[in-house]
Every structure is written in C-alpha cells, then in structure tokens.
Amino acid sequence: METRSSAPLDAGFWLRHFAVPLLLFGFAAAACEITHVDLALADRLYDFTSGTWPARESWWAQWLIHKRGRDLVVVVASFSLIAWVLSFQIERLKRWRWQALYLLLVICLGTGLVAVGKNLTGRHCPWDMERYGGTVPYTRLFEGPTPGPDKGRCFPAGHAAGGYALMGIYFALRDRRVATARAGLTAGIALGTIYGYGQMARGAHFLSHTIWSAAVCWFAALVLYAAFRPLLAPSVCNSTIMDRSGNNGPDDGRNERMPHPPVPDMPDMTQSAHDAGEPLVVPRRP
C-alpha cells in the first residue's frame, strides 16, 4: 500500500494544488470573457435552420448524461454515507471512515455552492437567448444579468458540478492509495467534462459555466482537504510490529516497540581475586 506522511503540507503541495490550478482557471475564464468562444461553441451545437437544439431531447444527452449522470453522483454520495455509518459497526470499514465522510461532504459542498451561485447570479441559459430562439439578449458574465423580472438559474453549471465534485476522490485517497487517488482525479475530470458537454449540447449552459463549476468544486475539495488531512493521512507508515503481548499487529500508532531492559555488567571474578592477592579457587566437579 502506498502511503504518505501526515507531515504539514509544504510549499510544493500548494504550488501544484492551488497556485497552478488558479492560474489555469483564471486563463480559461478570461479567455471565455474576452473572446466569443462561448458563442462559437454554442453556434455549432444549435441548428439555426430548424431553430432547435438537436441534442436537447436526445437519448444520450437527456437520458444518459443528464438523468443517469445525476443518478451516478447520488449513488456515490449515498454509498459514502452508508460506508461512514457502517464504519462504526464494521471493523474493516473503520480505517476508511474519514475518507467516506470527506467524499460525502465534498460532493455536498461542491454542488451546494454551485446551486447557491445559480440563485445569486441570475444568469440565463443559452436556450433563453434571442440568438437561439429565446427572448433574452446575450450578455457576457461580467456585464451583469439581463434586466427584467425573470431571473435565470443557469450559472454555474449544476450537472457538471456533480461530476467535478468526484475529483474529491483524489484528496480522499492521496495519502493512502496514490495510484487510486490519481485514477479518481481523472474520473472526476472526465465525468465533469462529459456532463458539461452534454448540457452544452442541450443548450443549457455555455462553456464558461462549466469552467466555473470545475473551479468551485476543485477549490472546495482543496479547502476541505486541508481541514480533514489529520484524519485522512496515516500518522505512521503501515507495518507489522510486535505489540506488548508479543502478538503481531499493525502499526497504527498504538503499538510501540518495547525496549529490552539493560543487562548489568558482570564483574570479572578472576581479575578481582588477583587484585586482592587471593588465590583463585576453582571448584572441583563432584
């Protein structure tokens, strides 16, 4: 089993997990804001001839990605909750107790923050825009929402957030199972991107909506990881040592190696007798 130390997170960690992702996100968000990439991609997915979004009711975008994709995230969250509860009863699950709780909280926090953002920003979906057969004029993200009584609820992207929230698997396991953690990160990025594309194809979101959701989920998972790390990381390397009773047991921080008691030095009887001027008496065998 690959494990890491529970030592404090160093500057290298924050560079790789905070500074670099922040720069990448800033670049992507700025590119969406100062260019027409949102419209360019949406134009390719919208059929101007028929005035419809061809994939809006398609089986792959509507049934598979939109509905079943949401169900998958709910299943992962449910299993995490069940594993956390059962860890108090089943010894084999005890070691994964905090990983299960962390993943559950990451999913709830990431999707919850995005849901709050959807209510606060009031941004409309592409299918609401006049350009795509709707009634609302298009505005960029930082131009403010379109004035009017009706508020949108399309920014950031909710379904993409469900997939990106699974990036929390990486943080949950990076201190115990490095390879599995990286696989979880790849799966979270892939699912979030697939969910985001499916919703863009349906006309529900622009590319920028998906990028912001990815950033919200990543940094939410990072902040929660910093708080949970003392519980997620093993305090010592897993090994087998002798416990106090002489039985082998995993080194979980409770077992300690018992030092051997010091052996007192035995006096040299021959040298002592010689120094005292006494004859050395050697006992005879009976």
Side-chain angles (χ1 to χ4, degrees):
M1 178 186 299
E2 300 174 88
T3 62
R4 297 179 188 266
S5 169
S6 58
L9 300 173
D10 58 15
F13 171 86
W14 292 109
L15 175 64
R16 296 188 303 272
H17 295 84
F18 177 76
V20 172
L22 183 62
L23 289 175
L24 292 175
F25 161 68
F27 174 80
C32 290
E33 186 66 17
I34 64 180
T35 69
H36 296 289
V37 63
D38 274 346
L39 294 178
L41 181 57
D43 286 352
R44 289 181 173 273
L45 299 172
Y46 182 74
D47 187 348
F48 287 95
T49 302
S50 62
T52 61
W53 296 90
R56 183 165 184 174
E57 301 299 331
S58 64
W59 73 270
W60 65 269
Q62 169 67 7
W63 181 86
L64 181 62
I65 296 179
H66 185 243
K67 294 184 177 181
R68 301 291 82 79
R70 176 186 55 200
D71 293 343
L72 175 61
V73 178
V74 172
V75 167
V76 174
S78 300
F79 271 106
S80 298
L81 175 60
I82 293 172
W84 178 70
V85 173
L86 292 181
S87 69
F88 292 93
Q89 304 294 330
I90 301 177
E91 186 66 24
R92 293 181 61 184
L93 293 178
K94 184 177 179 180
R95 63 181 306 186
W96 304 109
R97 174 182 302 168
W98 300 114
Q99 282 75 11
L101 180 60
Y102 169 83
L103 184 57
L104 173 64
L105 293 180
V106 163
I107 294 174
C108 293
L109 180 61
T111 56
L113 289 174
V114 168
V116 171
K118 291 162 73 76
N119 287 323
L120 293 179
T121 58
R123 307 298 304 194
H124 288 275
C125 304
W127 59 41
D128 296 324
M129 307 293 178
E130 295 173 343
R131 185 185 184 94
Y132 305 113
T135 59
V136 178
Y138 168 77
T139 57
R140 298 177 186 272
L141 287 178
F142 289 96
E143 291 177 348
T146 304
D150 297 330
K151 292 179 59 178
R153 294 189 68 257
C154 297
F155 174 79
H159 279 73
Y164 286 128
L166 299 183
M167 292 187 295
I169 296 173
Y170 167 75
F171 290 107
L173 299 177
R174 72 175 296 273
D175 295 301
R176 291 182 178 269
R177 300 285 182 87
V178 178
T180 306
R182 290 171 179 168
L185 176 61
T186 302
I189 294 174
L191 284 175
T193 303
I194 291 172
Y195 291 1
Y197 178 78
Q199 288 296 83
M200 286 188 284
R202 297 182 64 244
H205 292 293
F206 287 118
L207 174 62
S208 58
H209 300 185
T210 300
I211 292 174
W212 277 85
S213 292
V216 169
C217 291
W218 175 261
F219 291 112
L222 178 61
V223 170
L224 201 60
Y225 172 72
F228 262 71
R229 189 163 188 268
L231 301 172
L232 297 174
S235 57
V236 292
C237 296
N238 291 330
S239 60
T240 302
I241 64 173
M242 298 294 293
D243 63 18
R244 297 187 180 186
S245 62
N247 298 321
N248 288 335
D251 185 3
D252 57 1
R254 295 173 295 179
N255 297 324
E256 300 178 355
R257 294 187 182 274
M258 293 298 294
H260 294 289
V263 178
D265 295 334
M266 298 300 294
D268 188 343
M269 301 303 297
T270 303
Q271 183 65 30
S272 299
H274 176 74
D275 295 341
E278 299 177 358
L280 178 62
V281 178
V282 179
R284 296 182 180 180
R285 293 183 180 178

